[in-house]
Amino acid sequence: SYGRPGSASSERSPSRGSSRAETPRDDAEIEIKINELRLQMGARSAPRNVAVRVEALGMEDGQRLETRGMPPAGGNTPMRYNWSQTLTLSRGSAGWDALTRGVGDGESSGRFAIGFVAIDGSSGATLGEASFDLTPLLRNAAERPTQQLQLFDSRQLAVGHVIATVKAVEAIE
């Protein structure tokens, strides 16, 4: 249930105090980071630049969640984006509603994930997609904020991986 105080955002607010009693919470934060991307594409098929777009189940509420385009690194060298964005979701906002739907869907279907899409920075064409599964957080599992996620193309062939961080445990408590 939403409403446990003690999230980083509520503890910083002097008006809410730091009581651990169950009271409705009015905001939540989800931190998303893209650390690096490594593509496994032939030189002929590699685009001139690559960006990563985040699909956050509608929690982005109009914010553009996309890295800058970078030229692919040669060989096995990763592209280091070091990009981050914190989504602040307020009760009653479209982002809060998307989080609520995501949690509900995760509890009923077992699927609650944020998507990472590697795109050709020039054309916008999708190169590969990966999912960061948040479902374990619904079962009070320990948060594994940084994960290496396999990218798959439209034919379900592995085309690389992205290392991403999602800190969401306090938002979905």
Side-chain angles (χ1 to χ4, degrees):
S1 74
Y2 305 110
R4 286 188 210 152
S7 72
S9 59
S10 66
E11 285 182 346
R12 282 184 292 227
S13 174
S15 64
R16 288 194 192 100
S18 60
S19 165
R20 291 280 177 192
E22 290 284 329
T23 57
R25 188 169 64 200
D26 292 328
D27 59 6
E29 289 185 348
I30 296 179
E31 181 182 2
I32 301 170
K33 293 182 181 179
I34 298 171
N35 304 317
E36 68 179 52
L37 172 75
R38 206 179 289 243
L39 287 177
Q40 300 162 336
M41 305 180 102
R44 290 185 194 164
S45 61
R48 286 195 173 130
N49 68 59
V50 179
V52 180
R53 183 178 63 235
V54 178
E55 296 177 348
L57 305 168
M59 292 183 289
E60 56 269 33
D61 194 18
Q63 295 180 59
R64 183 181 168 131
L65 301 180
E66 187 173 306
T67 67
R68 69 194 182 286
M70 291 181 64
N76 203 22
T77 305
M79 292 174 272
R80 298 196 192 285
Y81 286 97
N82 298 320
W83 174 94
S84 72
Q85 180 77 37
T86 299
L87 301 176
T88 301
L89 312 175
S90 299
R91 184 179 296 280
S93 71
W96 183 278
D97 293 344
L99 175 63
T100 302
R101 277 191 309 278
V103 169
D105 291 349
E107 289 172 340
S108 64
S109 71
R111 186 78 177 129
F112 180 39
I114 291 179
F116 292 85
V117 183
I119 58 172
D120 180 321
S122 301
S123 70
T126 299
L127 303 172
E129 299 182 29
S131 293
F132 194 110
D133 188 11
L134 298 173
T135 309
L137 298 180
L138 300 176
R139 296 185 297 271
N140 296 319
E143 186 167 43
R144 287 184 43 224
T146 301
Q147 296 181 27
Q148 180 173 306
L149 309 170
Q150 193 75 41
L151 289 163
F152 294 98
D153 68 9
S154 60
R155 298 169 299 172
Q156 295 304 304
L157 299 173
V159 294
H161 68 261
V162 62
I163 297 178
T165 302
V166 177
K167 294 182 181 176
V169 70
E170 291 176 353
I172 63 174
E173 288 185 313

